[in-house]
Amino acid sequence: MLDVLPFDSVVIPRCSSVRSRMDKVEVLTRMLKSDNTSTILGGQSPGSVINSRKYVPVTAGARGDDQRSLDDAIRAALCGETRAAVVVGSEGSGKTTALRKLVADWAKGECLQNFSYVFNFQFREFGSSADELSLETLIHQGHHQTPPDFTRLVTEKPDGVLFVFDGLDEYKHSLDPSVHSLTSDLTRPASGSSLLASLLHGSLLKGAAFLVATRPTDNVRFLRGARVEVLGFRKPQREAYFNNFFTDSVAANRAFLHMERTLGFYEFCASPRFCWTVCSVYKWLLDSDAKLPETLSQLFADTLVHLIQTLSLNKACSRGLVLALGRVASHCLRGQHPSCPKHAVDAFGLQQFPTSVDSFLREHGEEELSFRSHLMREFVLAVAFFLDASAYEDAEKTLNDHKAGAKMLDLFMSGLSEPAQYRSLEDLLGTFSSGQIKAFKSWFRGRSEKALKDYNRSEHYRCFHLLHQAQNESLVKEILTPPAHPSIFHENLSLQDCAALNFVITCLGEREKLSVSRTTISRETMEILAPSVSLSHTVILSHCCIHKEALPLLASAVSTGVARDLDLSHSSIGDEKLQILCAGLRESKLHSLNLSVCGLTAACCGDLVSVLTSETSQLRNLQMMFNEIGDRGFTKLCEAMHSPNCRLQELQVRDCDLTAASMEAFAGGLGSGETQLRKVDFEGNVIGDSGVQALCKALQQPLCKLRSLRLFDSGLTGACCSDLKEVVMSEHCTLSELELSLNELGQEGALLLCQGLKRPSCPIETLGLTRCGLTPAVFEELASVLKNGTCRIKSLHLAINKVGDQGVKPLWDAVAHPSCLLEELNVEMTKLTDACVEDLCAALRANNTLRFLELRNNSLTDAAVPAIVQVMKEKHNMEELNLKYNNFSEDVFEMLEECHNIRY
């Protein structure tokens, strides 16, 4: 029940000193004793791990690059201010081994020599006795080598005592101090639970240090001290473990690479115990020249076959053992019991196999048994489901009955429904029930069809996980028909999600889009997703945390696949990572690259130029919005416009800290005759009137072919309009879109612009003048332009110019004119009232081209609705009239609902 590990640092007689050294030898012998495990499910024994001197430290502490060995993390915590540590980790993550190694290292004099005594407890045994006893008695009952004056020594120097407690999750009592009568007297008898609570809360032997190991449990919240999260084996530790396990380096490498490819995305692969199981099974398969498993179900099928073969049972007994184990598993999972009482085990049929059960079950305390592996517990239940149709009802009821305790049962059932994965078990256990297999597949198809109709991420991905486990390509194509799931978009994906997603996509083949967001893209993630990236025309990885090591793999997948569009927006790539990405994209066939909000500066622009000017460059659209590249970076980027290899047609540099200083360089590129640039968006850059002046000189050059210029919110005034007038009047002008919204052009500037728009061959088709300080005089002049018979304007945005009904009236006359070509008109927030409705309706009746009319945020009331509804019923060419945020009451909602093309 209790290991006492004493070492007295106080000056005592020579015989006691010798005795202490002997005690340390005895401690070391006990810690290093190789209590070899009889089953591959139990993991390598702590003693043999430490004895082998090939101990690979599991990692702990912060995730990411800041990881320490578990040993170091524990020692640091015990030397800290609280001198207490709580080690939390999942099943088989290495907690017990780490604790025993720590004690062994202390006994060897290698660490923690500030402690005179180390006491090692197992929680499941602590307090099992109903008798009351003191801590001193408890220690003496367990060990008889403590000095006669032990109580005095530890009382005088409690800070020289370390208590090590393992397995808090198996403790059946609460550690809440409020439910215990705490004691501070070492000699006073108390219950085991009270003694433990008194120790851990500092009432008993105050000043002593504590180390507690546990799986996640509610009792942790009652403990003080540093939390040490056990991450188990990350990929580097797994690789080292495999290299140590296999004597043949070729076999080690083959086994490791196979495990990472097929299983490395599961969280429990970080468990040292699971790695021991995998290595043991792989070694057996490699020695037998057998095929390594491709799924988790196949791994556990091989494990079960190996375990049963070592028991030398006939087929009937083997089947009976698995069915009995299935009943035990069902009992535990139905009631969420970690263990099963020994007296109840016979009722499940295990009395026929007194020695065989040790391979699967272990003692859990004095009166209970539990499965050595939680995963094997669910796997044997899945096997039992397919072996015995009479004991288990349909798949849905079986899964519902066990869903409280089972996490992998449906995955194992999916895997075992395929012949390739259950055939080896049939050879050993007898025939699987064809009815059960058929029933499961029927349930799975129905569940998947229902899940894919809803946009529920967890349901979609559970379906993908089941398909991945089944490894049946035809089943994937049957369930995920194109109408069922034309594109896949999800976020916050785990490695396991990515593996399932990749399997589904590779089965379906080339697709239009792969969209993943808010996901950490590590090297491991990209290794898994690379085939899917190569098969997708559009790859969206927005709002992702992309690791540097993943970028070469991403670039390679894009370059060798069919990808034409890559969206990395909001992914905070930064200059250093972009440099790596660009190096891999120079040979790509990308048409579009979105780097908006990626934390880029001027330093990245040279790398982008190298991509844009490569001999094989196909890049036509570059989005750089919301990056602080500034004038220096943009000037560098403009160098690409002089290269005959640059095929860039659209450039978005919205809010990139640009000023007039870089417009000369851009203008030079426009007039070079080499650039194919057709559209540029400068929104949110304060380039000012002088910047526009430089642009306008280039726009009048015969070699300039720019068609769209967006200067939304660019710090312009009416002073730039004379230059813009010259541009639109120029015979060389090719602009079809001019966006000038959110600039203070005013009446004078806007009227100048209108003069240019009257040129008979003016190419402008889209004009944006939202919130430009326009007046009724400007609206009247624009109406004149629209009616002149040569105007090509189809889209006109005049919102937030508050000219009122009379100001907008000339526009309604223009809309009614047969020469007007408008298809889209925006007069949102122009102070319209019901007084405009007659002119509005007359204009709509006379017009045959208008498709979109924006009237939001005006002052129309219920009185305007009947006339508007009536005319909209007549106008089949009108696709949308937006009346949102006017002064309508609920009384007219039913009337507005009569028109499908009215938004209100």
Side-chain angles (χ1 to χ4, degrees):
M1 177 171 67
L2 171 67
D3 291 330
V4 181
L5 317 175
F7 177 76
D8 194 355
S9 60
V10 182
V11 178
I12 54 177
R14 178 179 295 273
C15 62
S16 295
S17 178
V18 172
R19 181 175 176 181
S20 292
R21 287 199 295 271
M22 290 177 61
D23 287 341
K24 277 204 167 185
V25 171
E26 186 272 334
V27 167
L28 190 58
T29 301
R30 185 165 61 250
M31 289 296 101
L32 298 181
K33 183 174 62 176
S34 185
D35 47 343
N36 291 322
T37 310
S38 60
T39 172
I40 58 176
L41 294 177
Q44 191 175 8
S45 69
S48 63
V49 172
I50 300 170
N51 268 325
S52 69
R53 297 187 178 275
K54 294 179 180 179
Y55 178 67
V56 182
V58 292
T59 55
R63 294 185 184 273
D65 296 331
D66 181 21
Q67 294 179 348
R68 297 179 292 173
S69 73
L70 181 55
D71 287 351
D72 292 342
I74 293 173
R75 293 175 189 180
L78 292 177
C79 294
E81 186 177 342
T82 60
R83 286 168 25 94
V86 181
V87 180
V88 182
S90 59
E91 172 189 349
S93 59
K95 303 181 297 297
T96 297
T97 299
L99 264 58
R100 290 184 62 169
K101 183 176 184 298
L102 184 79
V103 173
D105 289 347
W106 171 83
K108 288 186 287 187
E110 294 179 358
C111 70
L112 303 178
Q113 295 306 289
N114 54 314
F115 293 110
S116 303
Y117 298 90
V118 177
F119 300 98
N120 189 25
F121 293 87
Q122 291 292 324
F123 267 105
R124 65 173 177 265
E125 298 176 357
F126 197 104
S128 60
S129 173
D131 298 332
E132 291 194 346
L133 63 167
S134 67
L135 178 62
E136 181 182 13
T137 304
L138 183 65
I139 292 173
H140 280 294
Q141 279 187 356
H143 298 270
H144 307 285
Q145 297 183 4
T146 54
D149 53 353
F150 166 74
T151 302
R152 176 183 64 80
L153 292 174
V154 298
T155 302
E156 291 177 354
K157 195 178 179 182
D159 58 354
V161 180
L162 170 64
F163 289 94
V164 179
F165 298 97
D166 192 15
L168 173 60
D169 50 285
E170 299 182 9
Y171 187 58
K172 296 183 177 181
H173 304 284
S174 172
L175 291 180
D176 184 352
S178 66
V179 302
H180 295 284
S181 298
L182 302 183
T183 180
S184 58
D185 189 346
L186 271 70
T187 62
R188 179 182 175 183
S191 66
S193 58
S194 292
L195 279 178
L196 183 55
S198 299
L199 277 171
L200 292 174
H201 292 293
S203 175
L204 185 62
L205 206 59
K206 186 176 182 179
F210 300 93
L211 173 59
V212 177
T214 180
R215 297 176 189 175
T217 177
D218 287 341
N219 253 340
V220 170
R221 61 194 174 102
F222 297 116
L223 297 177
R224 60 184 173 86
R227 296 291 189 273
V228 179
E229 180 187 7
V230 185
L231 302 180
F233 287 166
R234 287 321 199 214
K235 189 172 182 178
Q237 288 79 36
R238 290 200 291 270
E239 184 172 14
Y241 188 86
F242 273 66
N243 287 332
N244 286 330
F245 185 94
F246 290 91
T247 55
D248 179 8
S249 60
V250 175
N253 186 57
R254 179 186 172 189
F256 172 71
L257 292 178
H258 185 275
M259 188 247 195
E260 290 302 302
R261 177 177 65 82
T262 58
L263 302 173
F265 41 81
Y266 287 109
E267 290 182 0
F268 42 74
C269 286
S271 162
R273 184 190 299 175
F274 185 77
C275 287
W276 161 264
T277 300
V278 172
C279 286
S280 301
V281 174
Y282 278 21
K283 185 178 186 305
W284 170 60
L285 293 171
L286 290 172
D287 290 345
S288 306
D289 199 26
K291 183 181 177 182
L292 296 179
E294 289 297 320
T295 68
L296 188 66
S297 297
Q298 287 180 0
L299 171 69
F300 274 85
D302 289 333
T303 304
L304 184 57
V305 167
H306 181 49
L307 285 170
I308 291 179
Q309 284 181 349
T310 60
L311 298 175
S312 300
L313 301 175
N314 60 36
K315 183 176 288 189
C317 287
S318 297
R319 187 182 185 97
L321 172 61
V322 171
L323 290 175
L325 289 170
R327 288 188 282 271
V328 176
S330 178
H331 166 81
C332 293
L333 293 170
R334 280 175 184 264
Q336 300 185 68
H337 304 303
S339 57
C340 179
K342 286 183 179 180
H343 64 79
V345 167
D346 288 349
F348 299 123
L350 283 178
Q351 73 276 11
Q352 306 173 51
F353 315 99
T355 58
S356 301
V357 296
D358 290 341
S359 295
F360 300 90
L361 306 177
R362 67 178 179 90
E363 288 192 359
H364 189 93
E366 296 181 357
E367 300 297 332
E368 297 184 325
L369 294 172
S370 65
F371 274 86
R372 292 183 180 275
S373 163
H374 289 179
L375 289 170
M376 181 55 79
R377 179 176 64 186
E378 295 188 41
F379 183 77
V380 296
L381 177 57
V383 174
F385 171 83
F386 287 114
L387 283 177
D388 189 359
S390 64
Y392 301 94
E393 298 187 48
D394 61 82
E396 183 171 8
K397 187 174 191 316
T398 299
L399 289 168
N400 284 335
D401 287 347
H402 299 90
K403 66 180 179 180
K407 295 180 180 179
M408 307 289 291
L409 182 58
D410 57 347
L411 293 178
F412 285 136
M413 290 169 71
S414 181
L416 290 172
S417 67
E418 294 296 326
Q421 302 193 54
Y422 66 70
R423 193 167 288 122
S424 62
L425 290 172
E426 278 195 322
D427 294 340
L428 195 69
L429 306 174
T431 306
F432 274 33
S433 168
S434 59
Q436 290 289 83
I437 294 172
K438 183 178 180 180
F440 174 81
K441 287 191 172 183
S442 175
W443 166 83
F444 179 40
R445 288 187 182 93
R447 180 184 185 273
S448 300
E449 183 180 350
K450 180 180 178 182
L452 292 173
K453 287 180 179 178
D454 300 326
Y455 287 90
N456 184 309
R457 185 188 79 88
S458 61
E459 287 298 313
H460 281 194
Y461 273 83
R462 200 59 181 177
C463 171
F464 298 163
H465 291 315
L466 296 178
L467 288 168
H468 181 222
Q469 201 61 215
Q471 293 286 297
N472 186 329
E473 182 177 327
S474 61
L475 184 62
V476 173
K477 292 178 178 179
E478 177 185 340
I479 289 177
L480 281 103
T481 55
H485 216 290
S487 63
I488 297 172
F489 170 79
H490 282 306
E491 59 185 26
N492 297 319
L493 304 187
S494 65
L495 276 176
Q496 188 180 351
D497 292 333
C498 291
L501 171 61
N502 182 70
F503 173 75
V504 167
I505 290 179
T506 51
C507 286
L508 295 174
E510 192 172 315
R511 63 188 304 98
E512 187 60 35
K513 180 172 68 175
L514 168 67
S515 186
V516 173
S517 70
R518 305 185 192 282
T519 295
T520 297
I521 308 293
S522 63
R523 178 180 178 84
E524 290 77 12
T525 307
M526 188 47 60
E527 285 175 345
I528 291 171
L529 286 177
S532 295
V533 170
S534 295
L535 286 168
S536 304
H537 291 275
T538 297
V539 178
I540 301 174
L541 301 176
S542 62
H543 295 85
C544 289
C545 175
I546 305 178
H547 291 186
K548 181 167 62 176
E549 297 77 13
L551 290 167
L553 297 175
L554 171 61
S556 176
V558 167
S559 299
T560 58
V562 299
R564 295 295 178 266
D565 304 311
L566 177 60
D567 183 349
L568 302 176
S569 59
H570 299 270
S571 292
S572 301
I573 290 177
D575 299 328
E576 181 184 2
K577 292 180 182 178
L578 185 62
Q579 182 180 30
I580 298 171
L581 180 69
C582 287
L585 290 180
R586 287 171 190 151
E587 305 300 321
S588 76
K589 302 177 185 65
L590 278 181
H591 289 183
S592 175
L593 178 60
N594 189 341
L595 297 171
S596 301
V597 201
C598 281
L600 303 176
T601 71
C604 78
C605 292
D607 299 303
L608 288 170
V609 170
S610 71
V611 174
L612 289 167
T613 59
S614 71
E615 292 184 1
T616 58
S617 175
Q618 300 290 323
L619 200 58
R620 292 167 169 77
N621 185 339
L622 178 60
Q623 299 180 53
M624 294 283 291
M625 298 179 289
F626 301 98
N627 289 294
E628 297 178 1
I629 63 172
D631 291 322
R632 184 167 66 89
F634 186 61
T635 299
K636 182 69 177 177
L637 200 60
C638 290
E639 293 178 7
M641 298 169 66
H642 295 272
S643 170
N645 293 328
C646 181
R647 292 175 171 80
L648 194 64
Q649 296 180 4
E650 183 174 348
L651 176 62
Q652 298 186 45
V653 284
R654 182 185 306 178
D655 288 276
C656 284
D657 288 349
L658 308 185
T659 70
S662 56
M663 291 301 105
E664 288 287 352
F666 180 70
L670 283 179
S672 68
E674 297 290 354
T675 182
Q676 298 181 24
L677 195 65
R678 297 295 180 264
K679 181 176 182 178
V680 63
D681 185 354
F682 285 120
E683 178 178 332
N685 294 289
V686 187
I687 64 174
D689 298 330
S690 60
V692 170
Q693 186 178 36
L695 288 177
C696 288
K697 290 178 182 178
L699 291 169
Q700 297 178 63
Q701 298 297 316
L703 295 178
C704 178
K705 303 299 181 184
L706 197 70
R707 294 174 184 167
S708 173
L709 177 62
R710 296 183 58 83
L711 297 170
F712 189 102
D713 190 20
S714 293
L716 309 182
T717 71
C720 74
C721 289
S722 60
D723 295 306
L724 290 170
K725 170 190 169 184
E726 296 299 321
V727 169
V728 297
M729 292 188 70
S730 169
E731 62 176 325
H732 301 300
C733 177
T734 56
L735 284 180
S736 61
E737 178 182 12
L738 181 58
E739 175 57 82
L740 299 170
S741 297
L742 266 70
N743 291 293
E744 294 300 325
L745 304 184
Q747 176 174 294
E748 184 179 352
L751 289 175
L752 279 173
L753 184 62
C754 288
Q755 291 179 23
L757 295 172
K758 287 183 177 180
R759 179 173 70 90
S761 57
C762 178
I764 299 295
E765 296 182 1
T766 298
L767 179 62
L769 295 172
T770 293
R771 213 196 76 180
C772 284
L774 306 186
T775 63
V778 176
F779 272 67
E780 186 173 358
E781 192 65 17
L782 284 169
S784 175
V785 171
L786 293 171
K787 295 186 295 183
N788 68 11
T790 63
C791 177
R792 301 181 187 179
I793 296 177
K794 297 179 181 179
S795 178
L796 181 60
H797 295 260
L798 300 171
I800 323 180
N801 291 290
K802 301 179 180 180
V803 296
D805 295 323
Q806 289 304 309
V808 177
K809 180 177 171 57
L811 276 184
W812 302 136
D813 294 338
V815 169
H817 196 278
S819 297
C820 179
L821 301 179
L822 274 184
E823 297 178 5
E824 180 179 8
L825 176 61
N826 186 338
V827 285
E828 176 185 0
M829 207 179 296
T830 51
K831 285 199 167 184
L832 296 177
T833 70
D834 294 344
C836 79
V837 172
E838 184 177 349
D839 294 326
L840 165 64
C841 292
L844 292 179
R845 284 194 175 92
N847 183 278
N848 292 316
T849 61
L850 198 65
R851 296 185 295 117
F852 298 95
L853 178 58
E854 187 72 70
L855 292 174
R856 283 183 302 172
N857 288 295
N858 282 293
S859 300
L860 302 176
T861 69
D862 292 358
V865 172
I868 292 175
V869 168
Q870 181 59 42
V871 74
M872 287 300 291
K873 286 182 178 179
E874 302 169 8
K875 299 302 296 180
H876 301 297
N877 62 293
M878 280 289 291
E879 296 182 27
E880 182 177 307
L881 170 61
N882 197 329
L883 295 172
K884 287 184 177 181
Y885 314 121
N886 277 278
N887 298 331
F888 300 138
S889 70
E890 293 184 4
D891 296 340
V892 297
F893 285 178
E894 186 174 346
M895 189 183 304
L896 289 168
E897 190 68 31
E898 294 177 13
C899 294
H900 71 279
N901 49 4
I902 293 181
R903 304 287 176 265
Y904 64 92

Coordinates of all heavy atoms in Angstrom, one line a residue, residues 734-763:
T734 N -9.6 54.1 -70.9 CA -10.2 52.8 -71.0 C -11.0 52.5 -69.7 O -11.5 51.3 -69.6 CB -9.2 51.7 -71.2 OG1 -8.2 51.8 -70.1 CG2 -8.5 51.9 -72.5
L735 N -11.1 53.4 -68.8 CA -11.8 53.2 -67.5 C -13.3 52.9 -67.7 O -14.0 53.7 -68.4 CB -11.7 54.3 -66.6 CG -10.3 54.6 -65.9 CD1 -10.4 55.8 -65.0 CD2 -9.9 53.4 -65.1
S736 N -13.7 51.8 -67.2 CA -15.2 51.5 -67.2 C -15.7 51.6 -65.8 O -17.0 51.7 -65.6 CB -15.5 50.1 -67.7 OG -14.8 49.1 -66.9
E737 N -14.9 51.6 -64.7 CA -15.3 51.7 -63.4 C -14.5 52.8 -62.7 O -13.2 52.8 -62.7 CB -15.2 50.4 -62.6 CG -15.6 50.6 -61.1 CD -15.4 49.4 -60.3 OE1 -14.8 48.4 -60.7 OE2 -16.0 49.3 -59.1
L738 N -15.1 53.8 -62.1 CA -14.5 54.8 -61.3 C -15.2 55.0 -60.0 O -16.3 55.4 -59.9 CB -14.5 56.1 -62.1 CG -13.8 57.4 -61.4 CD1 -12.3 57.1 -61.2 CD2 -14.0 58.6 -62.3
E739 N -14.5 54.6 -58.9 CA -15.1 54.6 -57.5 C -14.4 55.8 -56.8 O -13.2 55.7 -56.5 CB -14.8 53.3 -56.8 CG -15.3 53.3 -55.4 CD -16.8 53.6 -55.2 OE1 -17.6 52.7 -55.4 OE2 -17.1 54.8 -54.9
L740 N -15.3 56.8 -56.5 CA -14.8 58.0 -55.8 C -15.5 58.2 -54.5 O -15.4 59.3 -53.9 CB -14.9 59.2 -56.7 CG -14.1 59.2 -58.0 CD1 -14.6 60.3 -58.9 CD2 -12.6 59.2 -57.7
S741 N -16.2 57.3 -53.9 CA -17.0 57.5 -52.8 C -16.2 57.8 -51.5 O -15.0 57.5 -51.5 CB -17.8 56.2 -52.5 OG -18.7 55.9 -53.5
L742 N -16.9 58.5 -50.6 CA -16.3 58.9 -49.3 C -15.1 59.8 -49.5 O -14.0 59.8 -48.9 CB -15.8 57.7 -48.4 CG -16.9 57.3 -47.4 CD1 -18.1 56.6 -48.1 CD2 -16.3 56.3 -46.4
N743 N -15.2 60.7 -50.5 CA -14.2 61.8 -50.7 C -15.0 63.1 -50.8 O -16.1 63.1 -51.4 CB -13.4 61.5 -52.0 CG -12.5 60.4 -51.9 OD1 -11.5 60.4 -51.1 ND2 -12.8 59.3 -52.6
E744 N -14.5 64.2 -50.3 CA -15.2 65.4 -50.3 C -15.0 66.2 -51.6 O -14.3 67.2 -51.7 CB -14.7 66.3 -49.1 CG -15.0 65.7 -47.7 CD -16.5 65.6 -47.5 OE1 -17.3 66.4 -48.0 OE2 -16.9 64.6 -46.9
L745 N -15.7 65.7 -52.6 CA -15.6 66.3 -54.0 C -16.4 67.6 -54.0 O -15.9 68.6 -54.7 CB -16.1 65.4 -55.0 CG -15.4 64.0 -55.1 CD1 -15.9 63.2 -56.3 CD2 -13.9 64.2 -55.2
G746 N -17.5 67.7 -53.4 CA -18.3 68.9 -53.4 C -19.0 69.1 -54.7 O -18.7 68.5 -55.7
Q747 N -19.8 70.2 -54.7 CA -20.5 70.5 -55.9 C -19.6 70.9 -57.1 O -19.8 70.4 -58.2 CB -21.5 71.7 -55.6 CG -22.2 72.2 -56.9 CD -23.3 73.2 -56.6 OE1 -24.3 72.9 -55.9 NE2 -23.1 74.5 -57.0
E748 N -18.6 71.8 -56.8 CA -17.8 72.2 -57.9 C -17.0 71.1 -58.6 O -16.9 71.0 -59.8 CB -16.8 73.3 -57.4 CG -15.9 73.9 -58.4 CD -15.0 75.0 -57.9 OE1 -15.2 75.4 -56.7 OE2 -14.1 75.5 -58.6
G749 N -16.4 70.3 -57.7 CA -15.6 69.2 -58.3 C -16.5 68.2 -59.0 O -16.1 67.7 -60.1
A750 N -17.7 67.9 -58.5 CA -18.5 66.9 -59.1 C -19.1 67.4 -60.5 O -19.2 66.6 -61.4 CB -19.7 66.5 -58.2
L751 N -19.4 68.7 -60.6 CA -19.8 69.2 -61.8 C -18.8 69.2 -62.9 O -19.0 69.0 -64.1 CB -20.3 70.7 -61.6 CG -21.6 70.8 -60.8 CD1 -21.9 72.3 -60.6 CD2 -22.8 70.2 -61.5
L752 N -17.5 69.4 -62.5 CA -16.4 69.2 -63.4 C -16.3 67.8 -64.0 O -16.1 67.6 -65.2 CB -15.1 69.6 -62.8 CG -14.7 71.1 -62.6 CD1 -13.4 71.2 -61.8 CD2 -14.5 71.7 -64.0
L753 N -16.5 66.9 -63.1 CA -16.5 65.5 -63.5 C -17.6 65.2 -64.5 O -17.4 64.4 -65.5 CB -16.6 64.6 -62.3 CG -16.5 63.1 -62.5 CD1 -15.1 62.7 -63.1 CD2 -16.7 62.3 -61.2
C754 N -18.8 65.7 -64.2 CA -19.9 65.5 -65.1 C -19.6 66.0 -66.5 O -20.1 65.4 -67.5 CB -21.2 66.2 -64.5 SG -21.8 65.4 -63.1
Q755 N -18.9 67.1 -66.6 CA -18.5 67.6 -67.9 C -17.8 66.5 -68.7 O -18.0 66.3 -69.9 CB -17.7 68.9 -67.8 CG -18.5 70.0 -67.3 CD -17.6 71.3 -67.2 OE1 -16.5 71.4 -67.8 NE2 -18.0 72.2 -66.3
G756 N -16.9 65.9 -68.1 CA -16.1 64.8 -68.7 C -17.0 63.6 -69.1 O -16.8 63.0 -70.1
L757 N -18.0 63.3 -68.2 CA -18.9 62.2 -68.5 C -19.8 62.4 -69.7 O -20.3 61.4 -70.2 CB -19.7 61.9 -67.2 CG -19.0 61.5 -65.9 CD1 -19.9 61.4 -64.8 CD2 -18.3 60.1 -66.1
K758 N -19.9 63.6 -70.1 CA -20.8 63.9 -71.3 C -20.1 63.6 -72.6 O -20.8 63.6 -73.6 CB -21.2 65.4 -71.2 CG -22.2 65.7 -70.1 CD -22.7 67.1 -70.2 CE -23.7 67.4 -69.2 NZ -24.2 68.9 -69.2
R759 N -18.8 63.3 -72.6 CA -18.1 63.0 -73.8 C -18.8 61.8 -74.5 O -19.0 60.8 -73.8 CB -16.6 62.7 -73.5 CG -15.9 62.3 -74.8 CD -14.4 62.2 -74.5 NE -14.1 61.0 -73.7 CZ -13.8 59.8 -74.2 NH1 -13.8 59.6 -75.6 NH2 -13.4 58.8 -73.5
P760 N -19.1 61.9 -75.7 CA -19.9 60.8 -76.4 C -19.3 59.4 -76.3 O -20.0 58.4 -76.1 CB -20.0 61.3 -77.8 CG -19.8 62.8 -77.8 CD -18.9 63.0 -76.6
S761 N -18.0 59.3 -76.3 CA -17.4 58.0 -76.2 C -16.8 57.7 -74.8 O -16.0 56.8 -74.7 CB -16.3 57.9 -77.2 OG -15.3 58.9 -77.0
C762 N -17.3 58.4 -73.8 CA -16.8 58.1 -72.4 C -17.1 56.7 -72.0 O -18.3 56.3 -72.1 CB -17.5 59.1 -71.4 SG -17.0 58.8 -69.7
P763 N -16.1 55.9 -71.6 CA -16.4 54.5 -71.3 C -16.9 54.1 -70.0 O -17.1 52.9 -69.7 CB -15.0 53.9 -71.5 CG -14.0 55.0 -71.1 CD -14.7 56.3 -71.5

